[in-house]
Amino acid sequence: MVQQNRITARTKLLGIIGHPINHSLSPVFQNAALNALNLDYVYLAFDIPTEKLMEAVQTLRMWGLRGINVTVPHKERIIQWLDKLDDTASLLRAVNVVLVKDEELVGYNTDEIGFAKSLEFNQVHLDGKNIALLGAGGAARAVVSALVRGGAHKVLVFNRSPERSLRFQQWAKSSLALEIETDSWKNFIDGHSPFLGQLDILINTTSLGLCQEKMKVPWEKIENCELVIDVVYNREETSLVKEARKREKKAFDGKMMLLFQGAESFRLFTGFEAPIEVMENALNEAVRYSW
Ligand SMILES: NC(=O)c1ccc[n+]([C@@H]2O[C@H](COP(=O)([O-])OP(=O)(O)OC[C@H]3O[C@@H](n4cnc5c(N)ncnc54)[C@H](OP(=O)(O)O)[C@@H]3O)[C@@H](O)[C@H]2O)c1
């Protein structure tokens, strides 16, 4: 029988890689879930800068890891060193879980289901909604795929770099058979896009806010927007969520998405259904006491 927190020579290793990684809450709730189910694993965070990623991936087999989560900025870049991708990771061209299976490295993506479940948890209905999506990276692909499956009426993407916007459009066309409209970042922050007046939901998938940077939002132009979702999360609420609530809009950050993607990751790592309540309590406690 495994005792809580007792690490032995047989304990198996799980982890998360990213850069920076200090803000990650995954170790807190993954270890709580492993302990609750009495599973002989430990989950640690590893700060891996981009120039060390290849080396880190190539040593995963050697260290006998069962699997890892992958976070910003490695989700796309890591793909070139993996042996296989599951259908969702292949569709989204982004990986947030790698399993070591019979010496093969297999990539998965649990962000889309994490986001979809966070919408369900917050009772968000997408039918007929006009949605502005900020950002066009890996998280944006997971989010837009969930929005389309959920029946959103129209999604318009605003991204800072036009190159990434274009790549996003091309990806949506080839992978989701979807014509996505885009507009410039400047037209968003200056409030010049006519779409803003018809907006129901604003979703941030840029990495702005990760370090509590303030985003310039043309609040006076999006008065009809009823809901603001930030996939970014901090220990406290993100400044976008705080600003939205000040204006009496419903708003939530990426913590529930994190939790639900983590629950799916846990199932992939261990083969057991995740004890969601245990994970949620651990997450809330970590946030409350700033662990
Ligand atoms: N809650 C969760 O479970 C969860 C899951 C996945 C991701 N996330 C969060 O989502 C964020 C994005 O992740 P990702 O994987 O999509 O990263 P990514 O692929 O690197 O994309 C980053 C996006 O942010 C934009 N961006 C970065 N800095 C910006 C700035 N100063 N102003 C405007 N736009 C800026 C980039 O635009 P350019 O093209 O102009 O560079 C790009 O569109 C991260 O903060 C991550 O933590 C949360």
Side-chain angles (χ1 to χ4, degrees), residues 64-82:
L65 269 116
R66 169 76 185 116
I68 48 163
N69 280 123
V70 180
T71 188
V72 180
H74 303 322
K75 290 182 184 185
E76 290 175 54
R77 199 177 152 76
I78 197 168
I79 290 175
Q80 59 191 302
W81 298 298
L82 304 181

Side-chain angles (χ1 to χ4, degrees), residues 151-182:
H153 174 244
K154 178 170 173 181
V155 180
L156 193 139
V157 171
F158 295 92
N159 193 64
R160 183 181 58 175
S161 73
E163 302 77 27
R164 210 193 292 250
S165 277
L166 183 63
R167 285 207 301 277
F168 189 87
Q169 273 181 319
Q170 290 165 340
W171 164 80
K173 195 166 183 182
S174 65
S175 299
L176 303 178
L178 193 71
E179 299 283 351
I180 287 267
E181 274 183 51
T182 63

Side-chain angles (χ1 to χ4, degrees), residues 198-213:
Q198 309 155 32
L199 205 61
D200 299 304
I201 304 177
L202 175 71
I203 306 180
N204 174 44
T205 70
T206 75
S207 12
L208 264 177
L210 197 57
C211 304
Q212 286 293 6
E213 314 92 302

Side-chain angles (χ1 to χ4, degrees), residues 26 29-30 69 96-97 110-115 256-266:
S26 295
F29 62 74
Q30 292 290 358
N69 280 123
N96 76 322
V97 178
T110 66
D111 281 338
E112 180 183 340
I113 190 159
F115 181 71
M256 292 315 284
M257 175 178 176
L258 173 77
L259 187 74
F260 288 120
Q261 70 71 29
E264 276 302 302
S265 306
F266 182 93

Side-chain angles (χ1 to χ4, degrees), residues 57 78-85 95 97-98 105-108:
V57 177
I78 197 168
I79 290 175
Q80 59 191 302
W81 298 298
L82 304 181
D83 300 304
K84 276 188 199 158
L85 298 181
V95 159
V97 178
V98 176
L105 300 180
V106 187
Y108 298 81

